[in-house]
Amino acid sequence: MVTATEKFKITDQVGSIVTNWPAASRVFEQAGIDYCCGGKIPLDQACRNQGIEPQPILAALEKLVAAGTEPVVNATALTLTALADHIEATHHAYLRTELPRLCTLTSKVASVHGDKDVRLAAVRDTLAALAAEMGQHMMKEERILFPMIRQLDASESVPAFHCGSLANPIGQMELEHDQAGAALVQLRALTDGFNPPEWACNTYRAMLDALAHLEQDLHQHVHKENNILFPRAIELEIQRRAT
Ligand SMILES: [Fe+2]
Ligand SMILES: [Fe+2]
């Protein structure tokens, strides 16, 4: 029988759990539960989708609470401006450094070991496409959407946005997040869950380690945008229009 715990319930949305308790993302990462793009579903459904029981997940979440694990950054406590700044300074900066390095690693591993596993060429191509898309995506956030959010945060009324409402660019960004999420799912499948074969050299292992970290960071990144920054910005826009 499924029982509700003190802090968490199986009916809680997985995205909301991570919003209120960011360290829970570690439990979800381990269980393969998507808390960013697919985070708007209740915990029991997310567990069913993964073919796992919710009890061990609830127990692991409770353990985090009992251990007093503190979030690295409590994104819900930041202003919209500070949160946009934080996303740029951490997640965008990480991708700008890491994606070119990963493109080099995946190309190298595909050219040296592609004959042993044909999927390595697909890893290289999937990563290259993701890197190109994320480059464009981050540029749109940094040049268009985030400045609009900061402008709204700083003013008493709704600025005259050329796109009408923040909901329009946000909808487009969320669509692009779904595409990036799908590329991560593909990379995980192509690498057997980022697990090296017995014969893998150190470059191969370094590539898989970097891909696993990329998945983790991108999940955190998209979670902060989809589940915290964007809904709060839309809510503020609605509030400002009503006053
Ligand atoms: Fe971003
Ligand atoms: Fe984004």
Side-chain angles (χ1 to χ4, degrees):
M1 195 181 87
V2 176
T3 51
T5 58
E6 226 174 85
K7 254 192 192 321
F8 306 103
K9 295 191 295 294
I10 54 165
T11 49
D12 290 344
Q13 283 198 351
V14 288
S16 305
I17 292 175
V18 178
T19 300
N20 297 323
W21 199 265
S25 60
R26 291 177 211 154
V27 174
F28 293 149
E29 294 280 357
Q30 258 181 355
I33 292 174
D34 177 6
Y35 59 86
C36 49
C37 298
K40 289 177 181 143
I41 57 170
L43 180 60
D44 59 345
Q45 192 189 333
C47 289
R48 273 203 307 277
N49 292 350
Q50 285 303 105
I52 55 176
E53 289 294 323
Q55 289 96 330
I57 301 296
L58 285 171
L61 292 172
E62 285 300 314
K63 215 168 142 189
L64 275 180
V65 176
T69 313
E70 283 299 321
V72 180
V73 172
N74 185 358
T76 52
L78 299 176
T79 63
L80 291 180
T81 298
L83 182 52
D85 292 348
H86 159 75
I87 290 169
E88 280 189 15
T90 55
H91 301 294
H92 287 200
Y94 159 78
L95 287 175
R96 288 222 162 80
T97 310
E98 192 63 357
L99 286 172
R101 186 180 84 92
L102 253 170
C103 282
T104 306
L105 278 174
T106 52
S107 295
K108 195 172 167 188
V109 173
S111 69
V112 177
H113 300 297
D115 54 339
K116 288 202 197 88
D117 188 342
V118 290
R119 296 178 301 172
L120 290 170
V123 170
R124 175 199 60 205
D125 296 344
T126 305
L127 195 271
L130 174 65
E133 282 162 19
M134 283 311 294
Q136 289 293 317
H137 176 82
M138 289 191 293
M139 202 166 71
K140 285 184 254 180
E141 285 181 341
E142 290 174 13
R143 293 193 185 168
I144 302 166
L145 181 57
F146 287 7
M148 287 167 70
I149 291 176
R150 290 188 187 101
Q151 214 185 331
L152 179 71
D153 196 25
S155 65
E156 300 280 304
S157 57
V158 179
F161 296 133
H162 69 279
C163 59
S165 163
L166 277 180
N168 297 324
I170 283 175
Q172 177 60 27
M173 293 302 103
E174 287 182 337
L175 197 72
E176 292 175 12
H177 289 166
D178 288 346
Q179 288 159 357
L184 290 177
V185 169
Q186 213 178 341
L187 286 167
R188 177 176 269 278
L190 287 166
T191 56
D192 301 323
F194 310 117
N195 282 311
E198 227 173 83
W199 49 265
C201 64
N202 279 345
T203 307
Y204 197 146
R205 287 169 197 273
M207 174 192 85
L208 292 176
D209 182 66
L211 284 173
H213 191 259
L214 173 77
E215 181 193 66
Q216 208 177 12
D217 193 90
L218 204 47
H219 280 168
Q220 281 284 340
H221 178 174
V222 170
H223 163 68
K224 286 175 191 170
E225 292 175 358
N226 272 19
N227 298 331
I228 305 174
L229 182 68
F230 295 170
R232 279 179 60 194
I234 287 175
E235 201 186 304
L236 184 62
E237 189 186 24
I238 292 168
Q239 272 176 18
R240 292 271 154 87
R241 282 194 199 282
T243 53

